[in-house]
Amino acid sequence: MTDNTTTTDTNAIPDPRKESLIEYPSQFPIKVMGAKVDGFVHAVTQIAEQFDPTFDATTIELRDSKAGNYLGVTITVTATSREQLDDLYRALSAHPMVKVVL
């Protein structure tokens, strides 16, 4: 006779891609760093708007590096999913003006 009961593996390792400490939707800050050149902030803003149609550019925070050669741009997006954030990070990281995304 066959046992049709389903057992749950209590030793199963959780998939970190499915677990999240972020509750969606939420306001999520992202710091983007690059050379302090014309068009850098505009480029970051355009990418943010692609992934968050409600993005408010007036919330952007800017911070110069000590020597003034680099600029830190903090954008705050409305995060709606892990996939959205991953795609946004990839798009920012792929931009030629961007050096670091945190």
Side-chain angles (χ1 to χ4, degrees), residues 27-97:
Q27 295 300 298
F28 193 84
I30 299 172
K31 182 174 275 189
V32 185
M33 289 173 267
K36 187 176 180 180
V37 294
D38 288 341
F40 177 58
V41 176
H42 182 68
V44 171
T45 302
Q46 283 189 314
I47 295 170
E49 289 171 342
Q50 288 175 9
F51 293 91
D52 177 10
T54 65
F55 178 70
D56 181 2
T58 63
T59 64
I60 293 175
E61 297 176 30
L62 305 176
R63 177 168 292 167
D64 288 335
S65 65
K66 286 184 182 179
N69 298 322
Y70 294 93
L71 183 64
V73 179
T74 302
I75 58 172
T76 302
V77 297
T78 301
T80 56
S81 70
R82 170 76 183 258
E83 182 181 24
Q84 174 215 26
L85 287 176
D86 288 347
D87 290 345
L88 175 55
Y89 270 88
R90 277 192 285 275
L92 288 166
S93 298
H95 195 281
M97 296 175 107

Side-chain angles (χ1 to χ4, degrees), residues 2-49:
T2 322
D3 185 359
N4 291 331
T5 60
T6 305
T7 59
T8 305
D9 184 1
T10 57
N11 294 326
I13 299 171
D15 184 349
R17 295 171 296 176
K18 293 182 181 176
E19 291 187 0
S20 178
L21 299 175
I22 303 168
E23 288 187 31
Y24 300 103
S26 68
Q27 295 300 298
F28 193 84
I30 299 172
K31 182 174 275 189
V32 185
M33 289 173 267
K36 187 176 180 180
V37 294
D38 288 341
F40 177 58
V41 176
H42 182 68
V44 171
T45 302
Q46 283 189 314
I47 295 170
E49 289 171 342

